[in-house]
């Protein structure tokens, strides 16, 4: 029996989100469409469900939703510049040769590897590391914060971005260029943050996993904001703007996912001209509980990015996910409120897609309960409070287990007076991904214990609400 099938009975394991057969995963890496197939590499520790000597795991998908495990792609080489780990990086197509540029540790350096067998095995370059240290005077906070190369080709030149922390605690993305992927010349920072900025969001003191691409006529810079002082991962931040001679000028900024569990996103430009992005969804329970489970970390669903009118980022689940729907339930027009029957009575599940469009409501609060036990002892609440301009996921009663996170997840959301609110939910074992009107995304984790915590309930308080349309689908497995 394979490790993957041994763990299948765990009710907290997702069924239609990618995750490794067992043990640990974090960042998605090296996303590339190669000869039509989507390849996902990821930060992987085969030794256990914790962040240790990191390898690159590998999986492939023909259709973006069903994945097949492939052998580990990169492992640390004893005595080599990646002996303590093959940390995050990317893969580019160099004239037909898949070429990985990744972070070797410690110290943090850039290593290169190539493959001549469709990316199954990799040869590390004899001259690794190809970038051995940050440029002088940069990225010197405490020790090393210089990682996660992201490479692309533009106007016949290779460009590379590194995430780094500046001396003054300002997060920065450093730009390099090269003719051959081996000799790199440092150019200047593509863009640096401001550690004292608090609005619209704090962008941290170090940026991990930078990504930079054109989207609908503008440029987008994605970074994962890190707090080097407290060694905390914060959240993924996006900037939309333009650049002059590779100096980026943001015009808009925001948080790519508000859940607090989605981090280190990386994107892929596919053959259909789409910008898709995956992130790492981390665990929300104690290290002991993770150790007992034997696995940690999940890849998010593929999300498609575009620009909204006004320049903000629109985020929606990739349409291919619809192929996983196996059984559906639908209702047009549902009255919701105190004293009214729950329109979703009898609709249950642990691997569901739920799509509800609420009409503008008189209620002061409305939303959806998921993973609810019949007596409400366990219940997770997805809550809109339009007056407060807030959407939240209330997890205080999500699980009877003492080992789980319970804080509420909060995203600012103030619908315009006549705006309908579409809540698009993907529930999958312990994983919850949410999209609101393509404008907000939030991913979080819940770990209900009761077998009968499978109910759904639409609710409204302080007045009534109405759902224009409610659809629920049972989702099939991706293995
Ligand atoms: N995870 C990797 C680093 C990256 C961080 C190490 C982000 O390369 O900066 O596993 O989660």
């Amino acid at each position: 029996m394979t490790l993957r099938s041994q763990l299948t009975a765990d009710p907290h394991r997702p069924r239609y989100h990618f995750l490794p057969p067992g043990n640990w995963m974090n960042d998605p890496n090296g996303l590339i469409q190669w000869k039509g197939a989507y390849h996902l590499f990821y930060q992987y520790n085969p030794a256990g469900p914790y962040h240790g000597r990191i390898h690159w795991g590998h999986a492939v998908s023909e259709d973006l939703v069903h994945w097949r495990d492939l052998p580990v792609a990169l492992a640390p080489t004893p005595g080599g510049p990646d002996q303590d780990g093959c940390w995050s990086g990317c893969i580019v197509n160099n004239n037909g040769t898949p070429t990985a540029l990744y972070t070797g540790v410690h110290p943090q350096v850039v290593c290169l590897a190539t493959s001549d067998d469709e990316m199954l095995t990799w040869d590390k370059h004899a001259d690794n590391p190809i970038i051995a240290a940050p440029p002088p005077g940069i990225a010197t906070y405490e020790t090393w914060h210089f990682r996660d190369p992201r490479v692309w080709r533009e106007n016949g030149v290779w460009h590379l971005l590194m995430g780094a922390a500046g001396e003054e605690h300002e997060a920065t993305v450093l730009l390099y260029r090269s003719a051959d992927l081996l000799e790199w010349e440092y150019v200047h920072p593509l863009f640096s943050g401001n550690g004292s900025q608090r609005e619209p969001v704090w962008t941290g003191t170090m940026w991990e996993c930078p990504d930079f691409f054109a989207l609908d006529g503008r440029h987008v810079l994605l970074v994962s904001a890190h707090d080097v002082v407290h060694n905390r991962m914060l959240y993924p931040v996006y900037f939309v703007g333009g650049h002059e001679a590779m100096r980026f000028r943001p015009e808009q900024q925001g948080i790519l996912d508000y859940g607090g569990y989605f981090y280190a996103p990386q994107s892929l430009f596919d053959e259909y001209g789409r910008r898709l992005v995956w992130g790492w969804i981390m665990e929300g329970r104690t290290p002991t509980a993770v150790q007992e489970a034997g696995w940690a970390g999940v890849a998010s669903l593929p999300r498609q990015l575009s620009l909204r009118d006004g320049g903000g980022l629109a985020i929606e689940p990739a349409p291919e996910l619809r192929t996983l729907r196996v059984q559906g339930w639908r209702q047009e027009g549902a009255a919701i409120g105190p004293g009214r029957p729950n329109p979703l009575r009898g609709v249950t599940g642990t691997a569901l897609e739920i799509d509800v469009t609420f009409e503008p409501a008189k209620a002061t609060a409305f939303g959806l309960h998921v993973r609810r036990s019949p007596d409400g002892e366990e219940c997770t609440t997805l809550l809109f409070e339009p007056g407060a301009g807030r959407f939240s996921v209330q997890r205080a009663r999500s699980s009877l287990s003492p080992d789980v996170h319970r804080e509420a997840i909060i995203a600012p959301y103030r619908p315009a007076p006549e705006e309908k609110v579409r809540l698009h939910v993907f529930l999958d074992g312990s994983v919850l991904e949410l999209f609101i009107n393509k404008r907000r995304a939030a991913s979080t984790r819940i770990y209900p214990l009761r077998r009968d915590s499978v109910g759904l309930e639409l609710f409204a308080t302080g007045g009534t609400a109405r759902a224009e349309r409610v659809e629920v689908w049972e989702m099939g497995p991706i293995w």
Side-chain angles (χ1 to χ4, degrees), residues 3-42:
L3 183 55
R4 185 179 290 290
S5 48
Q6 278 169 35
L7 290 171
T8 305
D10 178 345
H12 295 138
R13 287 272 283 187
R15 182 203 281 196
Y16 63 91
H17 280 76
F18 174 81
L19 77 175
N23 302 312
W24 169 272
M25 89 163 264
N26 56 298
D27 317 351
N29 292 148
L31 290 162
I32 190 166
Q33 195 177 16
W34 189 264
K35 305 202 171 144
Y38 295 94
H39 288 259
L40 165 67
F41 299 80
Y42 54 90

Short mmCIF file of all heavy atoms in Angstrom, two decimals, residues 3-42:
data_model
loop_
_atom_site.label_atom_id
_atom_site.label_comp_id
_atom_site.label_asym_id
_atom_site.label_seq_id
_atom_site.Cartn_x
_atom_site.Cartn_y
_atom_site.Cartn_z
N LEU A 3 2.03 5.20 0.56
CA LEU A 3 1.82 6.16 1.65
C LEU A 3 0.55 6.97 1.38
O LEU A 3 -0.26 7.21 2.28
CB LEU A 3 3.04 7.07 1.75
CG LEU A 3 3.07 8.10 2.86
CD1 LEU A 3 2.86 7.44 4.22
CD2 LEU A 3 4.38 8.85 2.85
N ARG A 4 0.37 7.37 0.12
CA ARG A 4 -0.81 8.18 -0.20
C ARG A 4 -2.09 7.41 0.14
O ARG A 4 -3.01 7.96 0.75
CB ARG A 4 -0.80 8.58 -1.68
CG ARG A 4 -1.95 9.52 -2.03
CD ARG A 4 -1.93 9.94 -3.49
NE ARG A 4 -0.84 10.83 -3.83
CZ ARG A 4 -0.73 12.10 -3.44
NH1 ARG A 4 -1.64 12.64 -2.68
NH2 ARG A 4 0.29 12.83 -3.82
N SER A 5 -2.18 6.14 -0.23
CA SER A 5 -3.43 5.43 0.04
C SER A 5 -3.59 5.12 1.54
O SER A 5 -4.70 5.09 2.05
CB SER A 5 -3.58 4.18 -0.83
OG SER A 5 -2.40 3.42 -0.79
N GLN A 6 -2.47 4.97 2.27
CA GLN A 6 -2.59 4.76 3.72
C GLN A 6 -3.24 5.95 4.42
O GLN A 6 -3.94 5.80 5.40
CB GLN A 6 -1.20 4.58 4.35
CG GLN A 6 -0.62 3.20 4.24
CD GLN A 6 0.85 3.24 4.64
OE1 GLN A 6 1.25 3.98 5.52
NE2 GLN A 6 1.65 2.44 3.97
N LEU A 7 -2.93 7.14 3.90
CA LEU A 7 -3.44 8.35 4.57
C LEU A 7 -4.83 8.76 4.10
O LEU A 7 -5.43 9.67 4.67
CB LEU A 7 -2.45 9.50 4.36
CG LEU A 7 -1.11 9.39 5.08
CD1 LEU A 7 -0.15 10.48 4.63
CD2 LEU A 7 -1.29 9.47 6.59
N THR A 8 -5.35 8.08 3.07
CA THR A 8 -6.62 8.51 2.48
C THR A 8 -7.76 8.52 3.49
O THR A 8 -8.68 9.33 3.41
CB THR A 8 -6.99 7.60 1.29
OG1 THR A 8 -5.89 7.61 0.41
CG2 THR A 8 -8.22 8.08 0.55
N ALA A 9 -7.72 7.60 4.47
CA ALA A 9 -8.83 7.50 5.42
C ALA A 9 -8.89 8.67 6.40
O ALA A 9 -9.89 8.85 7.08
CB ALA A 9 -8.71 6.19 6.19
N ASP A 10 -7.83 9.46 6.47
CA ASP A 10 -7.81 10.60 7.39
C ASP A 10 -8.85 11.63 6.92
O ASP A 10 -8.71 12.20 5.84
CB ASP A 10 -6.39 11.20 7.38
CG ASP A 10 -6.26 12.42 8.27
OD1 ASP A 10 -7.29 12.97 8.69
OD2 ASP A 10 -5.11 12.81 8.55
N PRO A 11 -9.88 11.88 7.73
CA PRO A 11 -10.95 12.77 7.25
C PRO A 11 -10.49 14.22 7.07
O PRO A 11 -11.19 15.01 6.44
CB PRO A 11 -12.02 12.68 8.35
CG PRO A 11 -11.31 12.18 9.55
CD PRO A 11 -10.14 11.35 9.08
N HIS A 12 -9.32 14.57 7.61
CA HIS A 12 -8.83 15.94 7.41
C HIS A 12 -8.01 16.09 6.14
O HIS A 12 -7.66 17.21 5.75
CB HIS A 12 -8.00 16.38 8.64
CG HIS A 12 -8.83 16.47 9.88
ND1 HIS A 12 -8.41 16.03 11.11
CD2 HIS A 12 -10.09 16.94 10.07
CE1 HIS A 12 -9.38 16.22 12.00
NE2 HIS A 12 -10.40 16.78 11.40
N ARG A 13 -7.67 14.97 5.49
CA ARG A 13 -6.93 15.06 4.22
C ARG A 13 -7.86 15.58 3.14
O ARG A 13 -8.98 15.08 2.98
CB ARG A 13 -6.47 13.66 3.76
CG ARG A 13 -5.34 13.07 4.54
CD ARG A 13 -3.99 13.44 4.03
NE ARG A 13 -3.54 12.75 2.84
CZ ARG A 13 -2.31 12.89 2.35
NH1 ARG A 13 -1.43 13.69 2.93
NH2 ARG A 13 -1.95 12.24 1.26
N PRO A 14 -7.41 16.55 2.36
CA PRO A 14 -8.26 16.99 1.25
C PRO A 14 -8.34 15.93 0.15
O PRO A 14 -7.47 15.08 0.04
CB PRO A 14 -7.57 18.25 0.74
CG PRO A 14 -6.18 18.17 1.22
CD PRO A 14 -6.19 17.33 2.47
N ARG A 15 -9.41 15.99 -0.62
CA ARG A 15 -9.65 15.01 -1.67
C ARG A 15 -9.38 15.59 -3.06
O ARG A 15 -9.06 14.88 -3.99
CB ARG A 15 -11.12 14.63 -1.57
CG ARG A 15 -11.58 13.60 -2.52
CD ARG A 15 -13.08 13.69 -2.74
NE ARG A 15 -13.83 13.08 -1.66
CZ ARG A 15 -15.13 12.76 -1.77
NH1 ARG A 15 -15.78 12.99 -2.90
NH2 ARG A 15 -15.77 12.24 -0.76
N TYR A 16 -9.56 16.90 -3.20
CA TYR A 16 -9.36 17.47 -4.54
C TYR A 16 -8.36 18.63 -4.56
O TYR A 16 -8.31 19.39 -5.53
CB TYR A 16 -10.70 17.85 -5.19
CG TYR A 16 -11.49 18.93 -4.50
CD1 TYR A 16 -11.34 20.27 -4.82
CD2 TYR A 16 -12.44 18.60 -3.53
CE1 TYR A 16 -12.10 21.25 -4.20
CE2 TYR A 16 -13.20 19.56 -2.91
CZ TYR A 16 -13.03 20.89 -3.25
OH TYR A 16 -13.78 21.86 -2.63
N HIS A 17 -7.59 18.77 -3.48
CA HIS A 17 -6.44 19.68 -3.49
C HIS A 17 -5.19 18.84 -3.61
O HIS A 17 -5.09 17.79 -2.94
CB HIS A 17 -6.34 20.45 -2.16
CG HIS A 17 -7.27 21.61 -2.06
ND1 HIS A 17 -8.62 21.47 -1.83
CD2 HIS A 17 -7.03 22.95 -2.13
CE1 HIS A 17 -9.17 22.67 -1.77
NE2 HIS A 17 -8.23 23.59 -1.95
N PHE A 18 -4.20 19.33 -4.36
CA PHE A 18 -2.95 18.57 -4.45
C PHE A 18 -2.21 18.63 -3.12
O PHE A 18 -2.09 19.69 -2.50
CB PHE A 18 -2.03 19.11 -5.56
CG PHE A 18 -0.71 18.40 -5.51
CD1 PHE A 18 -0.58 17.15 -6.09
CD2 PHE A 18 0.36 18.91 -4.79
CE1 PHE A 18 0.61 16.43 -5.97
CE2 PHE A 18 1.55 18.20 -4.67
CZ PHE A 18 1.67 16.96 -5.26
N LEU A 19 -1.67 17.50 -2.71
CA LEU A 19 -0.70 17.46 -1.62
C LEU A 19 0.16 16.23 -1.84
O LEU A 19 -0.22 15.32 -2.59
CB LEU A 19 -1.37 17.48 -0.25
CG LEU A 19 -2.03 16.23 0.33
CD1 LEU A 19 -2.49 16.53 1.76
CD2 LEU A 19 -3.20 15.78 -0.49
N PRO A 20 1.36 16.19 -1.23
CA PRO A 20 2.25 15.05 -1.48
C PRO A 20 1.68 13.77 -0.88
O PRO A 20 0.74 13.81 -0.08
CB PRO A 20 3.54 15.44 -0.74
CG PRO A 20 3.40 16.85 -0.34
CD PRO A 20 1.95 17.19 -0.33
N PRO A 21 2.29 12.63 -1.19
CA PRO A 21 1.80 11.36 -0.64
C PRO A 21 1.77 11.36 0.88
O PRO A 21 0.91 10.73 1.50
CB PRO A 21 2.81 10.33 -1.16
CG PRO A 21 3.42 10.97 -2.36
CD PRO A 21 3.40 12.44 -2.13
N GLY A 22 2.70 12.04 1.51
CA GLY A 22 2.76 12.14 2.97
C GLY A 22 3.83 13.14 3.31
O GLY A 22 4.42 13.79 2.44
N ASN A 23 4.09 13.30 4.62
CA ASN A 23 5.16 14.20 5.09
C ASN A 23 4.84 15.67 4.80
O ASN A 23 3.69 16.05 4.85
CB ASN A 23 6.51 13.74 4.55
CG ASN A 23 6.77 12.32 4.99
OD1 ASN A 23 6.60 12.00 6.16
ND2 ASN A 23 7.13 11.44 4.06
N TRP A 24 5.86 16.42 4.45
CA TRP A 24 5.74 17.89 4.46
C TRP A 24 5.78 18.50 3.06
O TRP A 24 6.64 18.13 2.26
CB TRP A 24 6.90 18.46 5.26
CG TRP A 24 7.08 19.94 5.16
CD1 TRP A 24 7.82 20.62 4.22
CD2 TRP A 24 6.53 20.94 6.02
NE1 TRP A 24 7.75 21.97 4.46
CE2 TRP A 24 6.96 22.19 5.56
CE3 TRP A 24 5.70 20.89 7.15
CZ2 TRP A 24 6.61 23.39 6.18
CZ3 TRP A 24 5.34 22.08 7.77
CH2 TRP A 24 5.80 23.31 7.28
N MET A 25 4.91 19.48 2.80
CA MET A 25 5.14 20.37 1.65
C MET A 25 4.96 21.81 2.08
O MET A 25 4.19 22.11 2.97
CB MET A 25 4.21 20.05 0.47
CG MET A 25 2.87 20.73 0.42
SD MET A 25 2.08 20.68 -1.23
CE MET A 25 2.57 22.28 -1.91
N ASN A 26 5.75 22.70 1.43
CA ASN A 26 5.42 24.12 1.51
C ASN A 26 5.36 24.71 0.11
O ASN A 26 4.53 24.22 -0.69
CB ASN A 26 6.25 24.89 2.55
CG ASN A 26 7.74 24.84 2.44
OD1 ASN A 26 8.34 23.78 2.52
ND2 ASN A 26 8.37 25.98 2.28
N ASP A 27 6.18 25.67 -0.25
CA ASP A 27 5.93 26.47 -1.46
C ASP A 27 5.81 25.65 -2.75
O ASP A 27 6.61 24.75 -2.99
CB ASP A 27 7.11 27.42 -1.71
CG ASP A 27 7.60 28.11 -0.47
OD1 ASP A 27 6.97 28.00 0.59
OD2 ASP A 27 8.66 28.75 -0.55
N PRO A 28 4.89 26.06 -3.62
CA PRO A 28 4.94 25.56 -5.01
C PRO A 28 6.16 26.16 -5.70
O PRO A 28 6.50 27.32 -5.47
CB PRO A 28 3.64 26.06 -5.64
CG PRO A 28 3.08 27.09 -4.73
CD PRO A 28 3.77 26.99 -3.40
N ASN A 29 6.83 25.38 -6.51
CA ASN A 29 8.06 25.81 -7.20
C ASN A 29 8.00 25.39 -8.66
O ASN A 29 7.27 24.45 -9.00
CB ASN A 29 9.29 25.13 -6.60
CG ASN A 29 9.64 25.55 -5.19
OD1 ASN A 29 10.16 24.77 -4.41
ND2 ASN A 29 9.38 26.79 -4.83
N GLY A 30 8.83 26.03 -9.47
CA GLY A 30 9.10 25.55 -10.83
C GLY A 30 7.87 25.29 -11.67
O GLY A 30 7.89 24.41 -12.54
N LEU A 31 6.81 26.04 -11.47
CA LEU A 31 5.59 25.79 -12.25
C LEU A 31 5.86 26.03 -13.72
O LEU A 31 6.36 27.09 -14.10
CB LEU A 31 4.48 26.73 -11.77
CG LEU A 31 3.96 26.40 -10.37
CD1 LEU A 31 3.20 27.58 -9.79
CD2 LEU A 31 3.07 25.18 -10.43
N ILE A 32 5.53 25.06 -14.52
CA ILE A 32 5.78 25.21 -15.95
C ILE A 32 4.83 24.30 -16.72
O ILE A 32 4.49 23.21 -16.25
CB ILE A 32 7.27 24.89 -16.29
CG1 ILE A 32 7.60 25.28 -17.73
CG2 ILE A 32 7.62 23.43 -16.02
CD1 ILE A 32 9.10 25.31 -18.05
N GLN A 33 4.38 24.79 -17.87
CA GLN A 33 3.64 23.91 -18.79
C GLN A 33 4.65 23.40 -19.80
O GLN A 33 5.27 24.20 -20.51
CB GLN A 33 2.51 24.69 -19.46
CG GLN A 33 1.50 23.77 -20.12
CD GLN A 33 0.34 24.53 -20.74
OE1 GLN A 33 0.42 25.74 -20.94
NE2 GLN A 33 -0.72 23.83 -21.06
N TRP A 34 4.84 22.11 -19.83
CA TRP A 34 5.88 21.50 -20.65
C TRP A 34 5.24 20.47 -21.56
O TRP A 34 4.64 19.53 -21.07
CB TRP A 34 6.94 20.84 -19.76
CG TRP A 34 8.14 20.40 -20.51
CD1 TRP A 34 8.39 19.14 -20.99
CD2 TRP A 34 9.25 21.21 -20.91
NE1 TRP A 34 9.58 19.11 -21.66
CE2 TRP A 34 10.13 20.38 -21.62
CE3 TRP A 34 9.56 22.57 -20.73
CZ2 TRP A 34 11.32 20.85 -22.16
CZ3 TRP A 34 10.75 23.03 -21.27
CH2 TRP A 34 11.62 22.18 -21.97
N LYS A 35 5.34 20.71 -22.88
CA LYS A 35 4.69 19.83 -23.86
C LYS A 35 3.23 19.61 -23.49
O LYS A 35 2.73 18.49 -23.47
CB LYS A 35 5.45 18.52 -23.99
CG LYS A 35 6.92 18.79 -24.33
CD LYS A 35 7.63 17.66 -24.99
CE LYS A 35 9.00 18.15 -25.46
NZ LYS A 35 10.05 17.19 -25.35
N GLY A 36 2.58 20.68 -23.12
CA GLY A 36 1.14 20.64 -22.85
C GLY A 36 0.78 20.30 -21.42
O GLY A 36 -0.28 20.69 -20.95
N ALA A 37 1.64 19.57 -20.69
CA ALA A 37 1.27 19.14 -19.33
C ALA A 37 1.73 20.17 -18.31
O ALA A 37 2.76 20.82 -18.48
CB ALA A 37 1.89 17.78 -19.03
N TYR A 38 0.95 20.30 -17.25
CA TYR A 38 1.30 21.21 -16.17
C TYR A 38 2.19 20.47 -15.16
O TYR A 38 1.83 19.39 -14.69
CB TYR A 38 0.04 21.70 -15.44
CG TYR A 38 -0.86 22.54 -16.32
CD1 TYR A 38 -1.93 21.97 -17.02
CD2 TYR A 38 -0.64 23.90 -16.46
CE1 TYR A 38 -2.76 22.74 -17.82
CE2 TYR A 38 -1.46 24.68 -17.27
CZ TYR A 38 -2.51 24.09 -17.95
OH TYR A 38 -3.32 24.86 -18.75
N HIS A 39 3.34 21.07 -14.85
CA HIS A 39 4.24 20.47 -13.86
C HIS A 39 4.27 21.34 -12.61
O HIS A 39 4.47 22.55 -12.70
CB HIS A 39 5.66 20.33 -14.42
CG HIS A 39 5.76 19.24 -15.44
ND1 HIS A 39 6.27 17.99 -15.16
CD2 HIS A 39 5.37 19.22 -16.73
CE1 HIS A 39 6.21 17.24 -16.25
NE2 HIS A 39 5.66 17.96 -17.22
N LEU A 40 4.09 20.68 -11.50
CA LEU A 40 4.14 21.34 -10.20
C LEU A 40 5.28 20.71 -9.41
O LEU A 40 5.29 19.50 -9.18
CB LEU A 40 2.82 21.11 -9.46
CG LEU A 40 2.77 21.41 -7.97
CD1 LEU A 40 2.92 22.91 -7.71
CD2 LEU A 40 1.44 20.94 -7.38
N PHE A 41 6.26 21.52 -9.05
CA PHE A 41 7.30 21.10 -8.12
C PHE A 41 6.97 21.80 -6.79
O PHE A 41 6.25 22.79 -6.77
CB PHE A 41 8.68 21.52 -8.62
CG PHE A 41 9.02 20.89 -9.96
CD1 PHE A 41 8.53 21.41 -11.15
CD2 PHE A 41 9.84 19.77 -10.03
CE1 PHE A 41 8.83 20.84 -12.37
CE2 PHE A 41 10.16 19.19 -11.24
CZ PHE A 41 9.66 19.73 -12.41
N TYR A 42 7.47 21.28 -5.72
CA TYR A 42 7.11 21.87 -4.44
C TYR A 42 8.15 21.56 -3.39
O TYR A 42 8.86 20.55 -3.47
CB TYR A 42 5.72 21.37 -3.99
CG TYR A 42 5.59 19.87 -3.94
CD1 TYR A 42 5.88 19.17 -2.79
CD2 TYR A 42 5.19 19.15 -5.07
CE1 TYR A 42 5.78 17.78 -2.73
CE2 TYR A 42 5.09 17.76 -5.04
CZ TYR A 42 5.38 17.09 -3.86
OH TYR A 42 5.29 15.71 -3.83
#
